[in-house]
Amino acid sequence: MTDAVRLETLYKTYDDTGTAVTALDGVTASFGAGTFTAVMGPSGSGKSTLLQCAAGLDRPTAGRVFLAGTELHAGKDTAMTKFRRTRVGFVFQDYNLLPALTVEQNVLLPSRLAGRRADHARARAVLDRLGLLDRRDDLPERLSGGQRQRVAIARALIGDPAVVFADEPTGALDLRSAREVLSLLRTVVHEHGRTVVMVTHDPVAAAYADSVLFLADGRLAGALSAPTAEAVAERLAHLGDLVGAGAEAVA
Amino acid sequence: MIAVALRGLRHRPGGFVATFLSAFLGATLLMTFAAMLDTAAGADTVSAESLSTTAAVAGGWCLIIVIFAVTSTLSLAVRRRAEQTALLRRLGATGPQVGRMIVGEAVAVALVASAAAVPVGLVLGRLLLALMQDTGQVAAGVGYAFGPVALGVGFGVTLLGSVVAAVATVRRTAGPAGARPERPRARRVAGVVFLLIATNCSVLTATLMDGKGIDAMQTAGQAGIWAAIGLALFAPELLRLVTAVLAGPVRLAGGAAGELAVLGVRQRTRRLAGAVMPVALFTGIATGTVYMQGIEDDAAAGTIQPAYARDIQTLNYVVVGMITVFVAIMLVNSLIAATAHRRREFAQQRLAGSTRGQVLALVSLEGLLVTATGVLSGSTASLFTILPFGAARADRVWPDASPVAYMTIVVIAVALTGLSLLGTTRRTLRGPAVAALR
Ligand SMILES: Nc1ncnc2c1ncn2[C@@H]1O[C@H](COP(=O)(O)OP(=O)(O)O)[C@@H](O)[C@H]1O
Ligand SMILES: [Mg+2]
């Protein structure tokens, strides 16, 4: 199995406030193509930082990132943006749709920015699959949270990325919308062969994934495959004891 | 609430720098010209008349521009803090409490600005008197006085302008949070009234003032100012029109960025209209005044002129210079306000795959639409001055003048817009996009 994402000894230190904070402390992990992985850990354990460094949204202080076999060079912002366009989809907790654009325009934006012609047929096919075809001319403000998140997922999928990263995609949603979004992500992986890496703090959400990677204090703290909500909750509760012990675990 | 207001000023002075600057400059100029009235009180009849005329003509222009500048900078400063205001409201502050806070801040800024203006106005007034004595318009023996009129007008107008602007802003923001309907009717009616006054001044210039020589400048100059303000009040409509006309070329030139620019201008017409206004005022008043003076210089060549012609020439250029400074402040301020809060939006575009260059292209294209609208309105307004003055003074409606001055004015307008827009945008684009969303 080829890896969609490979992270080699990633370090990330923030020191813009004067006191240095180590958010990632030597993380090595890989995510196989066509898998659905959840990343879990206490608040502040470095989950978002991990995702952003892996997606080329931020630069690691040290370490290497490979996406679909190509190394991401943390150089100029513009170069990183162009690299991201073809390889990465990203879904945020608060959607980050452009409020001035309609649903369809939002979905088409990445390819338009990449200088490609707007492929309306493809956008509509994706929206149709996500049950949003009849809302394609609406502005995001007219949609519910769950619908907005599905639009964000459609936008992340349209560029045929090697991997879709999702940072707490259900964090702002009610239970029902959250379930819809999680099932959608599962479908994306299992029926359409995509790779999804999702950060969540909800054991129930993590149970939708094929495996779970635990993070504590910026280090890996174990993994779990075929997770159930109970098993995940149990592991989370004991995460403190595992810090350091299982740091080299791999997904 | 006043205590909260003062603390707000101390902790977030940035938003008030522009308000302070425009109030300070305004109060300085008002005091300078009003001091001529103080001086006139102790002068002979002929000198007194010259002094009063200068104060009335130039001071009148200042008055309009000062009120305009203070109003626009203050309401932007208040709007920039809409978040803080909304938070106070949610914490239980009543509308009137928040209102008192905003008005209190405005009064504090106006008082400090006026006080700071006193020494500068004192010196400038002395210089102005010396200038008028050098040209023989005022008797050499007349002593300089800086007294109740200078202080009264300086403090009074600045304070009044600030309070009126603050109250107007409060009334717009104090309603139920979020709902802030525009009142296009009042704005349009005001615009039509200003344009009618402008037309009236133009007609007067071409008819009544025909043959009155340099005195026609009074009505002609005013015509252009009223027209610029009148057209500026139609900025949203004009911006929409210009955008509709230029949408095709802008999309063609900018690709996705061009498309976003057209959409952005359509969505934020009201906010961007605030930036059209200073461009229109600057282009209109500068073009009108410079070409009017050019016509005058040609017509006056070789003839005997009244003693004050030289003064008026000097004053005209002083007015153009000072309006440029005012407009620069207003423009930079409104563009910074219209751009800084877009940090989040720009970050979202970058997360959707926009490069920094594409965001800058988008902002430049938006700026282009704004500048084009402003220059167009201003150029039209300047014709309210130039055409009738030419008819009255030189018997030719279209002046026989070089376009170089006009091009220079347009270049300055474009440069001011471009530099402040790109400077602010660049700053909001610093660091990774995700950092802007935290
Ligand atoms: N921009 C930043 N500047 C300084 N510290 C940061 C920044 N972003 C995150 N951190 C710190 O890095 C650590 C990891 O943060 P994050 O990756 O957001 O954790 P998580 O997503 O697991 O809650 C935390 O201690 C956080 O305070
Ligand atoms: Mg996080």
Side-chain angles (χ1 to χ4, degrees):
Chain A
M1 188 166 65
T2 54
D3 289 335
V5 186
R6 192 150 50 86
L7 310 176
E8 289 183 1
T9 48
L10 280 192
Y11 288 87
K12 175 73 182 178
T13 309
Y14 294 103
D15 59 1
D16 37 33
T17 49
T19 48
V21 177
T22 302
L24 292 181
D25 197 6
V27 175
T28 297
S30 42
F31 303 87
T35 60
F36 186 3
T37 313
V39 177
M40 300 199 75
S43 171
S45 56
K47 305 182 295 291
S48 297
T49 306
L50 180 78
L51 233 56
Q52 285 161 11
C53 287
L57 286 170
D58 206 347
R59 295 177 179 82
T61 312
R64 304 167 80 181
V65 175
F66 296 86
L67 289 170
T70 313
E71 180 163 10
L72 165 72
H73 289 286
K76 277 219 161 104
D77 194 80
T78 302
M80 283 170 72
T81 302
K82 289 183 174 163
F83 184 89
R84 263 196 344 255
R85 277 177 185 165
T86 53
R87 292 176 181 81
V88 182
F90 209 106
V91 178
F92 298 86
Q93 176 173 344
D94 45 5
Y95 331 120
N96 285 324
L97 300 174
L98 294 192
L101 302 186
T102 65
V103 165
E104 185 171 358
Q105 286 169 335
N106 259 296
V107 171
L108 283 169
L109 185 63
S111 47
R112 298 282 293 114
L113 286 168
R116 290 194 293 272
R117 280 187 67 83
D119 189 344
H120 291 276
R122 183 167 156 67
R124 285 177 195 181
V126 173
L127 285 172
D128 193 18
R129 211 162 72 210
L130 271 55
L132 287 163
L133 192 57
D134 54 332
R135 309 305 300 266
R136 67 174 184 270
D137 293 325
D138 280 332
L139 291 177
E141 65 186 17
R142 310 222 14 215
L143 303 184
S144 72
Q147 288 170 326
R148 285 184 215 191
Q149 197 57 295
R150 279 186 278 149
V151 176
I153 292 171
R155 180 177 66 176
L157 289 174
I158 192 98
D160 239 334
V163 54
V164 174
F165 294 102
D167 194 349
E168 308 211 16
T170 58
L173 301 181
D174 60 79
L175 275 177
R176 217 187 102 220
S177 308
R179 270 206 302 274
E180 275 173 22
V181 164
L182 290 164
S183 308
L184 178 64
L185 289 173
R186 251 186 98 79
T187 315
V188 161
V189 173
H190 294 135
E191 286 172 30
H192 304 279
R194 308 305 181 105
T195 309
V196 173
V197 180
M198 169 183 78
V199 162
T200 179
H201 59 251
D202 176 9
V204 176
Y208 280 78
D210 307 324
S211 62
V212 182
L213 203 64
F214 293 94
L215 213 57
D217 287 340
R219 298 179 190 200
L220 284 190
L224 195 67
S225 27
T228 62
E230 296 72 32
V232 171
E234 164 98 22
R235 280 291 275 276
L236 271 180
H238 295 104
L239 209 50
D241 320 334
L242 289 166
V243 178
E248 293 308 310
V250 178
Chain B
M1 272 300 127
I2 299 296
V4 174
L6 293 178
R7 226 171 306 134
L9 273 185
R10 233 180 308 133
H11 287 294
R12 308 194 45 178
F16 283 91
V17 169
T19 315
F20 174 82
L21 270 179
S22 56
F24 167 72
L25 279 173
T28 305
L29 290 166
L30 287 169
M31 285 177 190
T32 305
F33 286 110
M36 296 306 105
L37 295 175
D38 283 320
T39 307
D44 58 285
T45 342
V46 180
S47 302
E49 205 193 306
S50 290
L51 288 166
S52 317
T53 310
T54 305
V57 175
W61 291 36
C62 290
L63 198 69
I64 301 171
I65 304 295
V66 167
I67 292 179
F68 214 68
V70 170
T71 313
S72 90
T73 47
L74 184 76
S75 54
L76 278 177
V78 172
R79 243 186 285 159
R80 274 169 80 175
R81 299 190 327 152
E83 228 170 89
Q84 190 203 340
T85 323
L87 185 66
L88 282 175
R89 293 289 310 268
R90 260 180 272 127
L91 291 176
T94 65
Q97 275 176 324
V98 171
R100 278 199 296 279
M101 182 189 90
I102 291 172
V103 175
E105 282 177 353
V107 168
V109 171
L111 277 178
V112 175
S114 306
V118 171
V120 188
L122 190 74
V123 173
L124 282 183
R126 197 183 292 280
L127 286 177
L128 182 59
L129 178 65
L131 182 84
M132 294 180 72
Q133 284 170 332
D134 284 350
T135 47
Q137 209 185 327
V138 173
V142 173
Y144 178 55
F146 186 92
V149 182
L151 293 174
V153 170
F155 274 88
V157 170
T158 312
L159 263 177
L160 196 72
S162 302
V163 170
V164 168
V167 170
T169 315
V170 166
R171 283 182 51 175
R172 246 180 294 131
T173 51
R180 216 187 300 156
E182 198 212 8
R183 280 197 310 228
R185 185 108 73 78
R187 175 172 59 75
R188 284 181 201 148
V189 169
V192 169
V193 168
F194 279 78
L195 286 174
L196 285 178
I197 298 177
T199 312
N200 184 42
C201 288
S202 290
V203 171
L204 280 181
T205 308
T207 55
L208 214 61
M209 302 306 279
D210 197 346
K212 293 268 171 65
I214 194 168
D215 293 344
M217 274 195 178
Q218 272 193 45
T219 47
Q222 276 187 37
I225 298 181
W226 294 121
I229 298 178
L231 285 170
L233 284 167
F234 281 104
E237 286 80 4
L238 293 171
L239 184 56
R240 245 172 254 140
L241 189 76
V242 167
T243 307
V245 172
L246 292 183
V250 164
R251 281 203 197 98
L252 214 62
E259 229 163 89
L260 286 174
V262 170
L263 267 168
V265 173
R266 283 205 189 122
Q267 290 250 328
R268 305 179 315 115
T269 308
R270 261 170 76 196
R271 218 179 256 274
L272 288 170
V276 170
M277 230 176 250
V279 180
L281 278 178
F282 167 68
T283 315
I285 296 174
T287 310
T289 311
V290 167
Y291 279 91
M292 178 169 74
Q293 188 61 51
I295 295 170
E296 172 60 31
D297 291 347
D298 284 349
T303 66
I304 298 163
Q305 286 302 302
Y308 52 86
R310 281 273 313 283
D311 284 345
I312 292 192
Q313 185 180 29
T314 313
L315 270 181
N316 268 333
Y317 290 126
V318 168
V319 165
V320 170
M322 131 202 143
I323 284 169
T324 312
V325 173
F326 260 121
V327 163
I329 295 173
M330 277 165 69
L331 188 62
V332 171
N333 185 48
S334 58
L335 288 176
I336 287 177
T339 312
H341 84 281
R342 298 176 74 187
R343 195 173 147 76
R344 188 178 176 82
E345 179 197 335
F346 292 155
Q348 288 174 329
Q349 284 174 8
R350 288 166 67 196
L351 292 174
S354 217
T355 61
R356 280 203 178 101
Q358 281 175 317
V359 176
L360 285 171
L362 153 93
V363 171
S364 310
L365 288 168
E366 284 183 3
L368 185 78
L369 292 171
V370 167
T371 316
T373 310
V375 166
L376 211 66
S377 317
S379 308
T380 311
S382 74
L383 296 180
F384 279 74
T385 293
I386 299 171
L387 302 186
F389 187 74
R393 194 73 179 99
D395 285 327
R396 54 178 302 161
V397 172
W398 193 259
D400 176 25
S402 143
V404 171
Y406 175 65
M407 310 246 252
T408 310
I409 291 167
V410 172
V411 167
I412 293 176
V414 171
L416 278 177
T417 325
L419 289 179
S420 39
L421 213 49
L422 293 182
T424 326
T425 308
R426 233 175 241 286
R427 225 175 314 133
T428 62
L429 291 180
R430 269 194 212 139
V434 277
L437 294 173
R438 274 194 271 263

